[in-house]
Amino acid sequence: MADARGDCTKRSANFSDREVELLVNLVKKYSGIIECKKTDSTTWKDKPEAWEKLSNDFNSCSGGILRCAKNLTIKYENVKNAAKKKFAEEKQEVYKTGGGTPTTVQITPVDHLIKNMMGDNGTGLEPV
């Protein structure tokens, strides 16, 4: 499937850290639609449109390789899952029994941006 910006089926170069940060900031701009949990027909129609707008914004700002909405969606989901995993590991280390000092998990500013966008959905509720 080819689109106006190039072939989306061919493998493109890896995302740079700058591109990942740009992607997460743009997702934050459209998070009301992209992170919406509703499953009605309006939401299903709005999400691809939001990803297309995000793709256009991304390609106009990135100054590098042109990325299609599908690639950006996949990358964002992978980055989001990696951030969830890091915060889960961090939480597990803090509440682990046995004493000693917990090992540190490398959490980036991008991970914190994702956590702030997702709220409790990203890390779960705190134990009481």
Side-chain angles (χ1 to χ4, degrees):
M1 167 189 252
D3 69 350
R5 292 175 300 265
D7 191 359
C8 212
T9 58
K10 289 185 180 177
R11 188 188 184 292
S12 57
N14 292 342
F15 280 75
S16 67
D17 291 340
R18 185 181 157 280
E19 286 179 311
V20 171
E21 188 173 350
L22 174 62
L23 173 61
V24 172
N25 283 319
L26 288 172
V27 168
K28 186 176 181 182
K29 177 180 174 183
Y30 295 101
S31 68
I33 298 168
I34 291 173
E35 291 293 338
C36 182
K37 300 296 181 193
K38 288 184 182 177
T39 57
D40 59 3
S41 62
T42 305
T43 304
W44 281 100
K45 186 183 78 119
D46 291 346
K47 284 188 181 191
E49 290 174 5
W51 278 108
E52 282 300 324
K53 289 178 188 175
L54 187 142
S55 174
N56 291 334
D57 292 351
F58 181 89
N59 288 323
S60 66
C61 295
S62 70
I65 299 167
L66 298 178
R67 311 279 186 176
C68 67
K70 179 182 174 188
N71 289 345
L72 293 175
T73 305
I74 292 168
K75 182 61 179 180
Y76 174 68
E77 289 299 323
N78 289 341
V79 169
K80 184 169 76 169
N81 289 336
K84 282 182 184 180
K85 186 175 179 181
K86 286 180 186 179
F87 284 110
E89 287 173 6
E90 179 187 52
K91 192 174 184 179
Q92 184 179 19
E93 286 295 321
V94 169
Y95 292 107
K96 167 164 72 170
T97 59
T101 57
T103 58
T104 57
V105 179
Q106 294 292 11
I107 296 176
T108 65
V110 170
D111 296 330
H112 284 290
L113 275 173
I114 292 172
K115 181 180 179 184
N116 291 337
M117 275 192 294
M118 293 174 41
D120 289 339
N121 292 335
T123 58
L125 300 173
E126 291 295 320
V128 273

